[in-house]
Amino acid sequence: MCPPQTAAVVGTGTIGLGWIALFAARGLRVRVSSTHPAAPERVAAALGLYAASMPGGPVDVRDLIARLDFPPTVEDAVTGVDVVQETAPEDLALKQELFARIAAAAPAGALLFSSTSTLLPDDLGAAVDEPGRVIVAHPFNPPHIVPLVELVTSRGTKPEVVEAAADFYRWLGKTPITLRRPVPGFVANRLQAALLRESIHLVREGVVTVDELDDVVTSSIGSRWAVVGPFRALHLAGGPGGLRHWLSHLGGGLERTWAGLGQPPSDESVHALLIEQVDASFGRQPYEDLAARRDTEQNAVLAAIAAARAAGTGPADA
Amino acid sequence: MCPPQTAAVVGTGTIGLGWIALFAARGLRVRVSSTHPAAPERVAAALGLYAASMPGGPVDVRDLIARLDFPPTVEDAVTGVDVVQETAPEDLALKQELFARIAAAAPAGALLFSSTSTLLPDDLGAAVDEPGRVIVAHPFNPPHIVPLVELVTSRGTKPEVVEAAADFYRWLGKTPITLRRPVPGFVANRLQAALLRESIHLVREGVVTVDELDDVVTSSIGSRWAVVGPFRALHLAGGPGGLRHWLSHLGGGLERTWAGLGQPPSDESVHALLIEQVDASFGRQPYEDLAARRDTEQNAVLAAIAAARAAGTGPADA
């Protein structure tokens, strides 16, 4: 792949702003397509925050802003670009129309990505001449920090386009994972929802408060899953006998454990309970401070893992 | 609390060995009670591995071994100690008998802990004169690295004993969380089971392999939950409007998402699929190498978060 030079970002919501910051920090010329009347000012203000929390360390926001253009139309924004990242609201008809215009005006070889978290690529590309060009590239918020990009292709996506898509995100410093088939909610958000369901159940049952549950997670499974995923963790929990040993001894009990997990509602009374407990704890602290702290610490975690891997820890690294 | 001087660890399985290593590294005199005929040799061999992966950096295994005694009976082991940590097999009758003997021989003020992951303190203390003395102190494996200790008390546990228990684990450098009421499986393992269920579902459905699922987790929710738990993460996902905003916009959709999550069996065919995929990936690497790498990286993550917090990231730290 030739290094990309120019990208278009369509939309300037939270996700769009994250992509703009990351693309510009990586040296791309970024065409910003926004229906917002004060888009340049809005983007410049947001980039100040993003520039301070870049994974490799703070960057000069003026360097980022100098790489942006604000063309008047979507067609102008995508003309001649290598990559398009669409981040419009989650409205299928709107996105279908956008992709029809994007595909007609962008170069035939441009990669066309949607940041959608809920829509499937077959639907997004329905109004495009070559529907398989549209690929879901779903980031985890904030996109400039969290490594994951879930790639979801459609029936017609050519293998070389899938490969070019993954190459692009690796070039960007991300961790692209291509789903083998589409599933509503993709992978990370489904896993998150599963854990959240049991979390809400335990708070609702009065076993722990939201604050205590958060502390349980950060002091155990959180830092564990930062370094090994659930299957590798299970394999190691089996000792030298590995997953085989674990499943033969404890696998039978899994169904009983699962049957005992909670199925809380997500209704007014549950919401009120959660909000009350959050307000009583960290909920009154300024959003910007909490978010900045989260981002600083997550960058520190990712850097520490990268450093530990670079240093190596034995033959398994060979 | 006066600093503890002497602890007894009953049992020398994986969890017992972890406690022995941590207690000795913290300077405690450790009485090891084991029915294993070659317990001293077994413990010495295991401590070599644990000494290399101590959170604060490697320690000299000879210093650890010099702090151990191997009394002939449980009664001898617990006489005059400050703390007893029971790590016998998960057999209720066995543990009940052990705690009756322990409570009769240990000082009246000694803290009596069980490392059980499945039994409840009311049951464990059934044969003890003062049943409320028995407290579950459930670690996450390996106990010398993962900060969490879930404390589960019984109906009769005195408030000052709960407090002394939490003080002890904080002194040890752990993060004790006292459950407000007992629940089977406690908190961390229930959350882990919830995430594992959806993970197995997605692998079974062919959306991702075990390896890809692990990569999704480590590159997104893992490093996120290392620094903020699920509720703080949700609060921040709501932007400046916080959890209130998030729930009012997306809370209604949670039930639909939950209804779409998988309910896989845990049967022979699922086990075979998981084992086959693990074998094809990391499963053939030596256990010791994989475990050492996990522990090195988890220590690096915990140290990075501690350093980031010590450095402070703005007014929210005040």
Side-chain angles (χ1 to χ4, degrees):
Chain A
M1 182 184 77
C2 308
Q5 307 284 334
T6 311
V9 175
V10 181
T12 53
T14 306
I15 297 296
L17 291 165
W19 284 127
I20 292 167
L22 182 64
F23 288 179
R26 196 69 181 82
L28 291 175
R29 190 89 215 157
V30 185
R31 313 256 194 83
V32 179
S33 176
S34 176
T35 55
H36 202 285
E41 294 73 20
R42 178 181 155 75
V43 171
L47 287 196
L49 289 172
Y50 287 94
S53 59
M54 278 293 156
V59 298
D60 191 328
V61 67
R62 291 166 300 188
D63 292 342
L64 301 184
I65 292 171
R67 298 196 183 107
L68 310 184
D69 296 299
F70 293 84
T73 67
V74 167
E75 284 79 1
D76 292 322
V78 305
T79 301
V81 298
D82 299 301
V83 171
V84 178
Q85 187 87 43
E86 172 274 315
T87 70
E90 295 287 81
D91 173 333
L92 179 58
L94 169 70
K95 287 190 192 252
Q96 283 175 332
E97 191 225 326
L98 264 176
F99 272 112
R101 293 171 61 191
I102 288 167
L111 294 165
L112 308 186
F113 297 120
S114 172
S115 302
T116 183
S117 59
T118 58
L119 302 169
L120 295 175
D122 279 319
D123 299 323
L124 292 169
V128 172
D129 281 346
E130 201 187 321
R133 290 188 65 194
V134 178
I135 292 181
V136 168
H138 174 238
F140 206 81
N141 191 46
H144 68 299
I145 291 179
V146 182
L148 179 66
V149 178
E150 293 176 289
L151 295 177
V152 193
T153 60
S154 64
R155 280 186 296 272
T157 307
K158 292 178 184 153
E160 62 267 28
V161 174
V162 181
E163 211 168 301
D167 281 345
F168 170 70
Y169 286 106
R170 275 191 287 266
W171 173 85
L172 206 58
K174 312 304 285 179
T175 302
I177 305 282
T178 306
L179 273 54
R180 287 163 191 268
R181 63 187 199 74
V183 61
F186 316 139
V187 173
N189 278 345
R190 290 176 70 98
L191 297 177
Q192 188 161 236
L195 190 121
L196 187 62
R197 175 160 63 172
E198 184 61 17
S199 299
I200 290 175
H201 170 68
L202 291 168
V203 168
R204 191 161 168 263
E205 292 289 309
V207 176
V208 279
T209 63
V210 296
D211 222 19
E212 290 160 350
L213 187 126
D214 276 0
D215 285 345
V216 165
V217 171
T218 55
S219 65
S220 62
I221 44 185
S223 51
R224 166 61 48 85
W225 288 333
V227 299
V228 289
F231 289 113
R232 197 180 277 233
L234 209 60
H235 178 69
L236 289 171
L243 183 66
R244 199 173 262 102
H245 179 82
W246 195 93
L247 287 173
S248 72
H249 281 67
L250 299 168
L254 273 180
E255 287 183 14
R256 277 192 305 282
T257 304
W258 290 340
L261 297 180
Q263 301 204 29
S266 176
D267 60 15
E268 288 292 321
S269 100
V270 166
H271 297 179
L273 174 69
L274 299 178
I275 288 167
E276 182 197 335
Q277 291 195 5
V278 164
D279 280 349
S281 176
F282 51 81
R284 301 289 188 199
Q285 295 178 41
Y287 166 74
E288 289 73 16
D289 296 344
L290 286 173
R293 194 201 288 196
R294 174 198 65 190
D295 294 344
T296 300
E297 292 178 8
Q298 188 158 0
N299 277 330
V301 164
L302 294 167
I305 295 169
R309 289 189 182 164
T313 60
D317 287 290
Chain B
M1 181 185 75
C2 309
Q5 307 284 333
T6 311
V9 175
V10 180
T12 52
T14 307
I15 297 297
L17 292 165
W19 285 127
I20 292 168
L22 181 64
F23 288 179
R26 196 70 181 84
L28 291 174
R29 191 87 214 161
V30 185
R31 312 257 194 81
V32 179
S33 176
S34 175
T35 55
H36 202 285
E41 294 72 21
R42 178 181 156 75
V43 171
L47 287 196
L49 289 172
Y50 287 93
S53 59
M54 277 293 156
V59 298
D60 190 327
V61 67
R62 290 166 301 186
D63 291 344
L64 302 184
I65 292 171
R67 297 194 185 110
L68 310 184
D69 297 299
F70 292 85
T73 68
V74 166
E75 285 79 3
D76 292 323
V78 305
T79 301
V81 300
D82 299 302
V83 171
V84 179
Q85 188 87 42
E86 172 274 316
T87 69
E90 294 287 82
D91 172 333
L92 179 57
L94 169 71
K95 287 190 192 251
Q96 283 176 332
E97 192 225 326
L98 265 177
F99 272 112
R101 293 170 62 190
I102 289 167
L111 295 166
L112 308 185
F113 297 120
S114 173
S115 303
T116 183
S117 59
T118 58
L119 303 169
L120 294 175
D122 279 320
D123 299 323
L124 292 170
V128 173
D129 280 347
E130 201 187 321
R133 291 187 64 193
V134 179
I135 293 180
V136 168
H138 175 239
F140 206 82
N141 192 46
H144 68 298
I145 291 179
V146 183
L148 178 67
V149 178
E150 292 176 289
L151 295 177
V152 192
T153 62
S154 63
R155 281 186 294 273
T157 307
K158 293 176 184 156
E160 62 268 29
V161 174
V162 182
E163 211 167 302
D167 281 345
F168 170 70
Y169 287 106
R170 276 190 286 265
W171 173 85
L172 206 57
K174 312 306 284 180
T175 303
I177 306 283
T178 306
L179 273 55
R180 288 163 190 268
R181 63 187 198 74
V183 61
F186 316 140
V187 173
N189 277 344
R190 291 176 69 99
L191 298 177
Q192 189 161 234
L195 190 120
L196 187 63
R197 175 160 63 173
E198 184 61 15
S199 300
I200 290 175
H201 170 68
L202 291 168
V203 168
R204 191 161 167 263
E205 292 289 309
V207 176
V208 279
T209 64
V210 296
D211 222 19
E212 290 161 350
L213 187 127
D214 276 0
D215 286 345
V216 165
V217 170
T218 56
S219 66
S220 62
I221 45 185
S223 52
R224 166 61 48 86
W225 287 333
V227 300
V228 289
F231 290 113
R232 196 181 278 235
L234 209 60
H235 178 69
L236 289 172
L243 183 66
R244 198 172 263 101
H245 178 82
W246 194 95
L247 288 172
S248 73
H249 281 68
L250 299 169
L254 272 181
E255 288 183 14
R256 276 192 306 281
T257 304
W258 290 338
L261 297 181
Q263 301 205 30
S266 175
D267 60 15
E268 289 292 322
S269 100
V270 165
H271 297 179
L273 174 69
L274 299 178
I275 289 168
E276 181 197 335
Q277 292 194 3
V278 164
D279 280 349
S281 175
F282 51 81
R284 302 289 187 196
Q285 295 178 41
Y287 166 75
E288 290 73 16
D289 295 344
L290 287 173
R293 194 200 288 196
R294 173 197 67 189
D295 294 344
T296 300
E297 292 178 8
Q298 187 158 3
N299 277 330
V301 164
L302 294 167
I305 295 169
R309 288 189 183 164
T313 59
D317 287 291

